[in-house]
Amino acid sequence: MTPHPHRKARGGKRGAPAPDAPRAPGPAPRRRVPAWVVVAAAALSLAVLGAIRWLRPRAGAARADVAAISARFEDAVKRSDWVASVEWGERLVRSAPAQSRFLRSLAGARHNFAMMERGPGRSRPALRTSLERWDSEIRALREAEQALACATTPEERAAARFQQATFLDNAGFHAEALEQYERVLEDAPDDVTAAARVVGIRARMRDPAFGDSVSAAEVQALLAARH
Amino acid sequence: MATRGFALRIRAARSLFAAPPAAACLLGLLAPGCASREAAPAPPLVLPEHYARSIAAVGVPGARRAFQVGPGSRASTGELTVAWSVEGDSTRVSPVFFEADAVPVAHWWMAGACESLHFEAAAAPRPELGDTSALLSVRVTAFARGGSRPIALVTRVLDGPASPGFVPWDAVGVVHEPREWRQPWLLWNGRHVVRLPPQAAWTGERAGARAGTAMDFRHVLRPEPGRPTTLVFEIPAYGVSPSTARRFESLDHERIAGDARRLWRRWLARAASLHTPDTLVNAAFRAGLVTLLVCQERSHGEWVPIGNPFQYRDVWLRDAARAVRALCVAGLAGVARSDAVTLLRFQLPSGALMSQRGQLDGTGQALWAMAQAASIPPSRAWARRFMPAATRASEWIVRERGLGRRHGAPWPGLLPYADPRDNELVRAQLVGNDAWSCAGLSALAALARLAGDPSRAAGAEAEAARYRADVAAALARTGSSDIPASWQGHGRDWGNITLGYPTFVLGAADPRLQGLARRVWSGSHARLLCWGDPDSVHGYIGGDVAQWAARGAPALAREYLDSLLAASTSTLGQAELSSRKSRDFGDNLPPHATAAAQVVDLVRNLIVDDARDTLEIATGADASWWRGTRLSRAPTRWGVIDVSLDEPSPGVARVRMTPVAVPARVWMPDRWILLTSLAANARVVTGRYAVLAPHAREASFRVAPRAGEP
C-alpha cells in the first residue's frame, strides 16, 4: 500500500542527513559466504514460494475480497475520508488492474484527496505545496485516462470521459473539458449533466461573463439536436 | 540617485537607542570561534523601516521554516513565539537590521532609561536537524546606561505565531501535553522547543502549565559600565528530541552565528558581485539574493522556489519563473536550473503546466523559465534536457489556440477564457495568458537553437510570430490606446503589464506600452502600482513597467527603484501588498520572493541587458554610476562577463568588459551627450549610444552634459 503522501513527506525528510554531513566510511572488505548459508537460503526461498502458492486465494475468495474492499472504499467516500479512499481505491485497482470502474474510483478519490482533503488542524490542505497537490492531480488524470482505455462498454467509456472532463473543467481547462463532454454525448446521448456542461461552456466560450447556470430549455435543445 | 547617507542614519539610530552596536560587534569579533574572516561579524546595516512594523526573515536555504524576527523584540517559528521585555521599564525597540554584507544575521536593540539591550539572532543548519530545519541562536547583550542598576529581563514563551504572523502548515497547532521546563529546556509535546540561559527563573504559575498560558522567565542582569552581560537562547525551527537537545548544549552562540555567516558568505561569493557608487542599490541587490535563497526548499533532490519565507511557503509558476530568471542573471544558475527542473513536476498529461487552477499563463511562464535557465549562461546540455517537456508544452499552446477558434471564441487565435480567481480577478480571455504563451513559443525557439535543432527553432519562431500577429490584431480591435487586462475589457492590470517586459510581445517603442504606462502611473504612488484599491500599494507588479521604461526612459526606471527601496523594510525586503496610508502589510508579511527577483533583475538590466541580439551596457545607469561601477561574474546569453564603468578623466567615459562574440551597445546616461569615440573598435551611433565591435575589451568616449544639465 502506498503510504499517505503527507506522512511520507514529513517522515522522510526530517532528520535526513544534510548535504554537508560527513560521509559514511567506504565499503567493508568482501567476505566469503559459507556454503551452508547458500543452501539454507535456497531452501527458505522454496518454502516461501510454496507457501504463497498454497495460500493463494481461490476465485470465489478473491471476489469476496473485492466486495469487502469495495465496501470499505464506499464507506470512506461517504465519510469524505479521502486518505482512506485512496488507500482502498489502490487496493481495488490492485485486485483488478484493468477494471475501468475501479480505476475511475481511484482517480476520483485521488482528485478529492489533492483538492479537498484537509491536513493538520483540518483547516489546511492535506498536501503542503501545490507541487504535491498537482502531483496527486496528475496521477488522478492518468488513472482517468487508464479508465478510459480499459472501458469495454459505451457506458463505461462515457463515465470515464465524463470524469476526465470534470477534472479538466475544475482545473480551468474549459475548452479541453468541452471537447470531452461533447464526446460523452456520443456514447451517452441522453446524459443531461454532460449536455448542461456543454451548453454552459459553449456559452462562456462566446461570452465569458455568461452565468454558471443554464436553462433546461437550452439543454433540451442540445439533446434534441443530437438525436 | 545619490549615495545614501548611511553614516547619518547609523548616527541617528545610535543616538536613539544609545546602544553601542560597535561594542556589541566588537564582543562578537573578540569571541572565540570567530577567528576566521569568513565567520567574523560585519556591522549591522542600519536602514530606515518604511513599513508600520519591522519584520525580517532569518533562515537558511533548504529549510522548511524560517524564523520571523519582529515586530518588536521577538522571534517566532510560527508554532511558538519568544518575546523579550524589561520589567519595570518602558523600552523602545529598534527595527530589525541585517549585517552590512547582507548576511541575514538579525540585530535589534531595546533601550530604556537605565539600560540598553542588543539582540543578535543567527540561524544555521545543523547535521542533527537534517536539511529541512535550522537552529536559531539569540544572544542578548545588556549594557548599563548611567549607573549599574540590575535589569530584569522577562522572556515570555507563547504558543502560536507573533502578531502579525502565521502558523506554519506543519505546526502541531495545539500543545497536547502540559508544558514542562526541564532546565535549561522548555518542552512542548515532549519535544525540546526553547533552550533558556541557565540562570532562568520560572515566574509563571507553575511548571507544566496548560496550553494557552504564556510562560514567563525572569533573568536579572547586572551589567557594569564597560562590562556588558550576555544571555543566549536557542530555538530550533522544529522541536527536537532529548538526545538532539543534549548535543546542542555544547554549542555556543558564536559557533552558530559563525556558521550562519560562513554559509551566507559562501552563497553570496558564488553570485555575481555588484558595486556601484549607490550603496543602497548594492545592498538591495544582495538583499534580493538573500531573500531568493531563503525562499528555497529541497524536494526530490532539487531546489524548490517558494513565494515567501512565511505565509507563502508554496510554489506558483508565476513567482517561480521570476525567481529562476533572477537567480540566472545573478550567477546562481545551479539553483535556477534546479528550480526549473522542479517546475516540470507541474506538467499535465496534456503538456500544459499549471500550479493554480484557472491560471493558464503557467505554461508560457514555465517555458520562459526553462529558456532562462538554459540560456543564462548558455548550456546546450540544459537546453537538450528541457526540450522534450518544452515541446509538449508548446504543442498544448498551439492546440489550445485552435480550440478557441473551433468553439467560436470572439477573439480567435487567442487562448480561451480563464478564471484565475486572483490577479486580474475576472473570468475572461486574459491578455496576460496570451502574452506569456507567445513568450513560451519564443522560449521553445531559443531552447531549440541552443540545443542545435534549427528547424524546430524556425518552426517555433514562426508559430510565435503568427501568435504575436494575432495579439496585435486583437489589440487593434479593442479600440483602446493601451493594453487592457482582458480581451473583454474587464479586470485588474496584471498579465497585460508584461507585454513590454519580460514577454516582449510588443516592441519597446509601441505606443500602447506608453499608453499603458501613462495610465497605470497616473494612479500610482511614486511609480509603485496599486492593485485594485488605490490604497493597496503592490510590491512588484510595477517592476515590469519599470523594466520597459529602462529601455527608453531609464530615469523613470531608476525612479521606480528609488520608490521601491523607499518603501522597503529595514532589511530591504518588500511586502506583496501594503496600505499607502498606514504603511501596514497586515498578515501578508514581507519579504516577497517575486519583489526580490524584480529588484535583482532590474538592477542587473540597468547595467547589463542581453534581451536582444546585441549586448547592451549601462542601459539605465545614472551619470553617478559612471564614477565607478563594477558588475563581476555576470552571466549573459553570451557567457559570463565582468563589466566596469568609470570616468578616467573629466569628460571621458570608459567601459571595460570581458569580450563577447556579439556587438555591444554602450548607453550614456540621459543627462549626457556622447560626442566621439576614443577607440577604433567603437563607433558613435547617436548622442545616446555607441556600438563596440565583437570581442572588444575596452572603449572610451568623450562626453558632455546635455544642455541645461550640470
Side-chain angles (χ1 to χ4, degrees), chain B residues 635-709:
Chain B
T636 69
R637 292 199 290 129
W638 300 287
V640 179
I641 64 168
D642 291 351
V643 175
S644 66
L645 313 173
D646 65 353
E647 288 180 84
S649 57
V652 175
R654 178 172 64 181
V655 59
R656 284 178 290 182
M657 57 184 281
T658 310
V660 291
V662 291
R665 191 179 286 181
V666 181
W667 290 84
M668 294 298 129
D670 28 13
R671 286 193 278 152
W672 288 359
I673 186 156
L674 177 54
L675 301 174
T676 52
S677 168
L678 303 175
N681 58 0
R683 67 187 167 86
V684 174
V685 179
T686 72
R688 282 297 314 283
Y689 73 87
V691 173
L692 268 69
H695 306 291
R697 283 181 184 278
E698 182 179 332
S700 296
F701 308 96
R702 193 162 296 284
V703 295
R706 281 189 183 275
E709 295 286 350

Side-chain angles (χ1 to χ4, degrees), chain B residues 585-608:
Chain B
F585 42 70
D587 291 329
N588 197 343
L589 311 181
H592 196 285
T594 307
Q598 289 271 27
V599 169
V600 170
D601 192 23
L602 175 59
V603 170
R604 179 266 195 183
N605 284 345
L606 291 177
I607 300 166
V608 169

Side-chain angles (χ1 to χ4, degrees), chain A residues 8-60:
Chain A
K8 190 168 147 190
R10 292 181 72 192
K13 272 289 161 188
R14 189 105 0 90
D20 57 351
R23 287 180 185 281
R30 189 176 286 183
R31 287 190 202 146
R32 195 181 163 82
V33 181
W36 66 267
V37 173
V38 178
V39 172
L44 188 66
S45 306
L46 283 172
V48 169
L49 284 172
I52 289 170
R53 195 179 166 80
W54 185 71
L55 289 171
R56 186 183 290 166
R58 285 161 297 172

